[in-house]
Amino acid sequence: MRHTHERNRTEKILHLVFENAHDALMLLAPPTWQFTLANKATLQLFGVATLNEFTSLGYWNISPEFQPDGSATLVKAQEMISIALHTGSHQFEWEHQRLDGQKFPSDVLLTRMEVDNEVFLQATVRDITEIKNNEAQVVAQYVYVAQINSQLAEMNEQLKRAHDQLFQSQKMAAIGVLASGVAHEINNPLGFIKSNVGTLEQYLADIFRLLDIYSAPEVQRGIDRQLLAELEQISHKINVGYIREDAKALIAETLQGLERVKNIVLDLKNFAHSSTDDEWVWADIIPGLDSALNLVWNELKNKCELIKEYQPLPKIYCLPAQLNQVFMNLLLNAAQAIKQHGTITLRTGQENNGVWIEIHDTGVGIPAEDIPLIFDPFFTTMAFGKGNGLGLSVSYSIVARHHGKIDVRSAAGKGTSFRVWLPVQATDSQSAT
C-alpha cells in the first residue's frame, strides 16, 4: 500500500513537472505516431484550447490545418521519426504552423522511450522565432558591416588615388614656381659660357694671325726686319702672355659653368622623377637637402644669408626623392616668409634612433592661431594666387609615410623653424612596402 502511495505521489509530481514545463512537451505513440499527450505549453504554442483538440490533429501536425504541403511534409516527418527510433534521439529544426495559420520556426528534440516493452517518442518543441530574428539581425548587420567595409576600402583607394594625384599636382606646381628661377640659374652660366667662347674665338683668331706671320718663309730665313718689327708690334699689341693665362682661366670657368648647368638639370630631373618609381633604400639625406637647395637658390640668393650647421648623419631607410620634395617645399616656404632680407639656417642632427633636419628662417612667422591649420590641404597664409596650400600638406603626408613627424616653432615677426624627424631603422610597414 505504501509503495502504491509513493508511486501515485511520484506520478503526480512527474505530471506536474510535465504540465508546467516551459517547453512544449508531447508524446507520440506507435504505430501511427499520433500525439497522445501534450502539456500546457504545447497548447499555448500551437494555439489550441484543449488536449483533445491538439491530439485530434494527428500525424505530426500533418493535417491541412497545420501543414498545407501534405504528403511531402509527411515523408519528412516520418524520416525524422525513423532517425530518432534508431539512434535514440534526434534534434532538428522544423517549421510549425499554429491553428490560426501563423508559421513559426522551432527546435525539435525527439527522444525514444520504452515503457513496458512499448516504444514511445517524446517531442520537445521550442519556439526559436526570436533566435532566428536575432540571427537574421546579426546576418543583416554583418552584411551591412561588410558593405561599409567595402565602401571604406573603396574610399581608401579613392583617397590614395587622390593623394597620389595631389602629390603629383603639388610637385608640378612646385616645378612651375621654380621654372623661372631654374631658367635664370641656367641662363647665367650659359651667358658667361657664350661670352667666354666668343672671347676665346677672338683670342684664337689673333693667335692664328700671329702664327701665320711667324710661319712666313721670310721670317724663317731671318732676312725681313720689317716683318720682324711688325711681328713684335702685333705681339705687344695683343699681349700674348696675357692671352695665354686668360685663356686657361676662361676654359676653367667655362668648364665650371657647364658643370653647374649639368648639376642644375640633374637636380631638376631628380625632383621631377615620378614618386611611383621610388624605392625604399638606405640613403644619406644631406645630399638631397643640398640638391633641393640648389634648385631654389635663385629664390634665396638675393635676399637670404645662408648658414649651414650640418652634423654627419647615418643613412636612413627612406624614399629619397620624396624627402627631397619635403626639403624643397620647406625651403620655398622659408624664402617666401622673408620679405626683404633675412637668414635661413639649415641644421642636421641625430637623436636616439632617429635623425632630424631643421630649416629656420627669420621671416614674418606664423600666427599662433594658424599653426594647427598649416598642414591642412589648401590652407595658406599667403595672398590669393601666391600659393596653392598643398606644399606643407604633401610634406606632412610624405613624412608620415616614413613614420616621422614635423615639429613647428614660430612667432609672428621672429621667424619659423620646421624640424623634420625621421627614423633610422626600417619599420615593419616600410619593410613590407
Side-chain angles (χ1 to χ4, degrees):
M1 186 69 124
R2 195 178 100 185
H3 292 295
T4 302
H5 175 73
E6 289 179 355
R7 188 174 65 181
N8 291 338
R9 182 172 178 273
T10 300
E11 290 177 353
K12 288 180 180 179
I13 293 173
L14 292 175
H15 180 72
L16 288 173
V17 171
F18 179 80
E19 281 295 319
N20 295 312
H22 177 74
D23 292 330
L25 302 177
M26 58 208 75
L27 199 65
L28 291 78
T32 58
W33 302 109
Q34 292 179 314
F35 296 111
T36 59
L37 191 63
N39 64 355
K40 293 178 182 178
T42 302
L43 305 183
Q44 294 173 354
L45 181 62
F46 287 91
V48 295
T50 65
L51 177 60
N52 291 335
E53 186 177 5
F54 178 74
T55 56
S56 64
L57 298 175
Y59 293 113
W60 192 244
N61 295 356
I62 307 305
S63 63
E65 294 88 350
F66 278 82
Q67 301 291 351
D69 50 347
S71 60
T73 305
L74 175 59
V75 171
K76 187 67 175 177
Q78 290 173 340
E79 179 184 346
M80 299 297 103
I81 291 171
S82 177
I83 293 174
L85 289 173
H86 283 85
T87 62
S89 66
H90 183 50
Q91 189 171 8
F92 54 92
E93 290 186 7
W94 192 269
E95 185 179 64
H96 281 112
Q97 183 170 307
R98 296 185 175 90
L99 190 60
D100 61 5
Q102 181 184 0
K103 293 183 178 181
F104 66 94
S106 67
D107 178 77
V108 179
L109 174 62
L110 291 181
T111 304
R112 184 178 183 274
M113 298 187 303
E114 189 171 338
V115 179
D116 297 333
N117 296 322
E118 186 175 0
V119 176
F120 296 88
L121 284 176
Q122 176 185 303
T124 304
V125 180
R126 179 177 297 175
D127 187 348
I128 57 173
T129 300
E130 185 175 353
I131 294 175
K132 287 294 183 181
N133 289 340
N134 290 339
E135 289 178 353
Q137 290 177 2
V138 169
V139 171
Q141 290 174 353
Y142 175 81
V143 171
Y144 176 73
V145 170
Q147 292 173 344
I148 294 297
N149 286 338
S150 177
Q151 293 173 2
L152 287 175
E154 177 62 25
M155 291 175 64
N156 284 336
E157 185 62 27
Q158 292 175 358
L159 285 173
K160 184 179 181 300
R161 290 194 295 267
H163 177 270
D164 291 342
Q165 292 172 357
L166 186 65
F167 181 84
Q168 293 301 325
S169 173
Q170 196 278 335
K171 179 182 286 187
M172 292 303 104
I175 291 176
V177 172
L178 294 171
S180 59
V182 171
H184 180 73
E185 287 296 301
I186 292 177
N187 283 333
N188 279 343
L190 287 180
F192 66 71
I193 289 172
K194 182 178 180 181
S195 175
N196 289 352
V197 170
T199 303
L200 284 173
E201 183 180 21
Q202 183 61 47
Y203 284 170
L204 292 175
D206 291 339
I207 290 173
F208 289 149
R209 180 182 169 193
L210 181 62
L211 292 176
D212 288 342
I213 295 174
Y214 271 122
S215 62
E218 296 82 357
V219 174
Q220 297 296 323
R221 289 193 298 270
I223 61 174
D224 192 336
R225 295 184 177 276
Q226 182 178 355
L227 286 176
L228 288 175
E230 183 180 353
L231 180 62
E232 291 177 358
Q233 182 180 3
I234 294 174
S235 177
H236 178 74
K237 181 178 180 181
I238 66 176
N239 196 345
V240 173
Y242 173 78
I243 290 176
R244 182 181 293 111
E245 295 302 322
D246 196 36
K248 294 179 182 178
L250 288 174
I251 292 173
E253 188 179 16
T254 300
L255 293 175
Q256 290 176 0
L258 289 173
E259 184 68 19
R260 185 176 172 188
V261 170
K262 183 188 76 172
N263 290 337
I264 291 172
V265 172
L266 180 61
D267 288 338
L268 186 59
K269 178 182 178 182
N270 289 338
F271 177 78
H273 192 273
S274 173
S275 63
T276 57
D277 295 331
D278 287 343
E279 293 183 355
W280 290 93
V281 296
W282 290 95
D284 182 357
I285 59 175
I286 290 181
L289 178 60
D290 287 335
S291 176
L293 179 62
N294 288 337
L295 286 179
V296 301
W297 181 241
N298 188 65
E299 297 286 327
L300 307 179
K301 63 181 182 181
N302 294 325
K303 60 179 180 179
C304 298
E305 177 186 356
L306 182 66
I307 300 174
K308 290 185 179 182
E309 298 177 358
Y310 289 173
Q311 296 181 16
L313 299 180
K315 290 184 177 182
I316 68 171
Y317 196 64
C318 63
L319 297 167
Q322 292 194 14
L323 291 182
N324 292 352
Q325 183 179 358
V326 173
F327 302 148
M328 177 171 291
N329 291 341
L330 296 180
L331 286 167
L332 282 174
N333 279 0
Q336 292 164 354
I338 297 174
K339 303 304 180 184
Q340 299 296 330
H341 190 273
T343 301
I344 291 179
T345 304
L346 307 182
R347 300 185 179 97
T348 65
Q350 182 178 4
E351 187 174 330
N352 298 327
N353 295 321
V355 300
W356 54 265
I357 301 90
E358 183 176 278
I359 298 175
H360 172 75
D361 67 70
T362 58
V364 296
I366 303 172
E369 63 272 17
D370 288 342
I371 290 180
L373 307 174
I374 59 175
F375 295 112
D376 292 346
F378 306 108
F379 177 83
T380 178
T381 58
M382 291 186 290
F384 179 77
K386 297 296 184 179
N388 55 24
L390 296 176
L392 288 178
S393 173
V394 170
S395 298
Y396 182 89
S397 298
I398 293 172
V399 173
R401 185 179 181 186
H402 285 75
H403 298 275
K405 63 177 181 176
I406 303 178
D407 289 339
V408 185
R409 301 190 310 276
S410 185
K414 296 183 179 180
T416 302
S417 293
F418 285 91
R419 179 170 287 194
V420 179
W421 293 86
L422 297 165
V424 172
Q425 298 293 332
T427 65
D428 291 341
S429 59
Q430 288 170 334
S431 300
T433 302

